[in-house]
């Protein structure tokens, strides 16, 4: 699960999606801003050679700025349904691009339709029995967290541990 | 009488529908919206002869984009409407499948607003000789 190529595909997809859809930078942070309060998470399930899920978690204020930015409107103009829909679409785009990058690797997967959850940030520790990793990002629109879980990883991990 | 040609945006994301619609309006066309393939077919049947282009997502509930594309191309009334896939599905096999099924263009998400407008304009440029220009006198 700690295969850098697997995680890098998602990192690259997040940076590309933020740049293309919002015209903004987004970089991994080694000193993540700790944000209390509620998070909105877009979750996509992965199935195939790799099985698991990926979640993009945004503090509520970041989520509002991101979706408002996608639509070119003020955050105050967003309805709750549009906000959730936008976060789902962000997760869908990020997962879809990572899927393409990993298509010819042992981590090839299909993706589900996106779901949205609200509550605490989606971190690997929140689900047992799976191998997870999280990465924090900073952007002018606020911080966000990407977390990926896999069930027992495919051949790549087995080869590395043998 | 003034007529405005329409462009149908098919995507289960309301946010993406709005993004596509804004680009459509910026080019002088009237946007139509559908959230899945079945809705798209119904909208097209209600607007036969007035739709210049379909922008079609791939991953959608009820009827996905590829099956929607096939249904459009199998319907004699709708088959001539050009379709551009607008999707996260960007592996080579997906592109090949879509082109074989009759897609004319393919745009992968994510995209910038400028990319989107340019690609739509390119699609419409191909077909302008066959359709009246938006806002033209009928």
């Amino acid at each position: 699960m700690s295969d850098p190529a697997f995680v890098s595909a998602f990192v690259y997809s997040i940076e590309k999606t933020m740049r293309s859809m919002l015209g903004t930078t987004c970089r991994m942070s080694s000193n993540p801003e700790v944000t209390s309060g509620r998070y909105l998470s877009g979750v996509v399930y992965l199935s195939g050679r790799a099985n698991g899920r990926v979640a993009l978690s945004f503090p509520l204020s970041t989520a509002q700025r991101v979706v408002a930015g996608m639509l070119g409107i003020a955050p105050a103009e967003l309805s709750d349904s549009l906000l959730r829909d936008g976060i789902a679409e962000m997760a869908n785009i990020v997962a879809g691009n990572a899927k393409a990058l990993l298509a010819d690797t042992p981590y090839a997967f299909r993706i589900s339709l996106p779901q949205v959850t609200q509550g605490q940030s989606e971190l690997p520790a929140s689900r047992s029995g799976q191998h997870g990793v999280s990465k924090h990002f900073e952007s002018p629109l606020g911080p966000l967290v990407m977390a990926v879980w896999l069930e027992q990883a495919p051949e790549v991990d087995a080869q590395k541990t043998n | 009488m003034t007529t405005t040609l329409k462009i149908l945006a098919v995507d289960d994301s309301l946010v993406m529908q709005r993004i596509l619609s804004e680009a459509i309006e910026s080019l002088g066309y009237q946007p139509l919206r559908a959230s899945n393939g079945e809705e798209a077919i119904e909208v097209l049947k209600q607007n036969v002869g007035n739709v210049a282009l379909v922008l079609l997502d791939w991953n959608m509930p009820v009827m996905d984009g590829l099956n929607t594309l096939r249904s459009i191309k199998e319907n004699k009334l709708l088959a001539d409407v050009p379709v551009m896939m607008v999707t996260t599905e960007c592996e080579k096999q997906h592109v090949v499948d879509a082109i074989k099924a009759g897609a004319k263009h393919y745009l992968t998400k994510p995209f910038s607003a400028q990319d989107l407008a340019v690609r739509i304009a390119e699609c419409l440029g191909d077909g302008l000789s066959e359709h009246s220009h938006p806002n033209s006198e009928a």
Side-chain angles (χ1 to χ4, degrees), chain A:
Chain A
M1 174 54 207
S2 58
D3 186 342
F6 180 77
V7 177
S8 293
F10 287 92
V11 170
Y12 175 79
S13 295
I14 288 171
E15 293 170 347
K16 179 182 176 185
T17 300
M18 293 287 281
R19 187 171 61 247
S20 296
M21 300 298 295
L22 292 152
T24 191
T25 56
C26 182
R27 293 195 175 87
M28 269 205 299
S29 169
S30 53
N31 296 305
E33 178 183 335
V34 178
T35 305
S36 58
R38 306 188 80 170
Y39 280 71
L40 209 56
S41 299
V43 182
V44 174
Y45 286 83
L46 318 176
S47 60
R49 282 186 244 171
N51 289 280
R53 60 179 178 151
V54 59
L56 285 188
S57 292
F58 301 84
L60 208 48
S61 58
T62 305
Q64 290 167 337
R65 285 190 285 266
V66 165
V67 178
M70 290 168 77
L71 292 168
I73 62 175
E77 296 176 50
L78 275 178
S79 66
D80 186 60
S81 61
L82 267 185
L83 177 63
R84 296 173 71 89
D85 184 282
I87 294 304
E89 184 64 7
M90 284 292 291
N92 177 54
I93 293 172
V94 167
N97 272 264
K99 168 178 169 284
L101 291 170
L102 295 165
D104 297 320
T105 76
Y107 287 109
F109 56 80
R110 296 180 297 279
I111 58 174
S112 72
L113 293 174
Q115 300 176 8
V116 175
T117 63
Q118 191 165 338
Q120 298 300 307
S121 66
E122 294 274 351
L123 296 173
S126 67
R127 176 169 282 206
S128 62
Q130 292 189 328
H131 304 267
V133 63
S134 62
K135 299 290 181 188
H136 293 256
F137 294 82
E138 289 175 344
S139 83
L141 302 177
L144 59 128
V145 185
M146 181 273 290
V148 187
W149 297 259
L150 281 183
E151 295 172 5
Q152 185 58 50
E155 303 84 62
V156 172
D157 271 3
Q159 289 167 358
K160 282 185 174 177
T161 54
N162 286 341

Side-chain angles (χ1 to χ4, degrees), chain B residues 6-10 24 40 44 51-57 68-69 72 78 81-86 104-105 123-124:
Chain B
K6 301 166 182 175
I7 296 177
L8 173 59
V10 190
I24 291 166
L44 285 172
V51 177
L53 178 67
V54 177
L55 307 179
L56 184 58
D57 186 22
T68 305
L69 174 60
I72 291 170
L78 311 178
V81 180
V83 175
M84 177 165 74
M85 303 302 293
V86 182
K104 197 168 184 183
H105 297 270
C123 289
L124 296 168

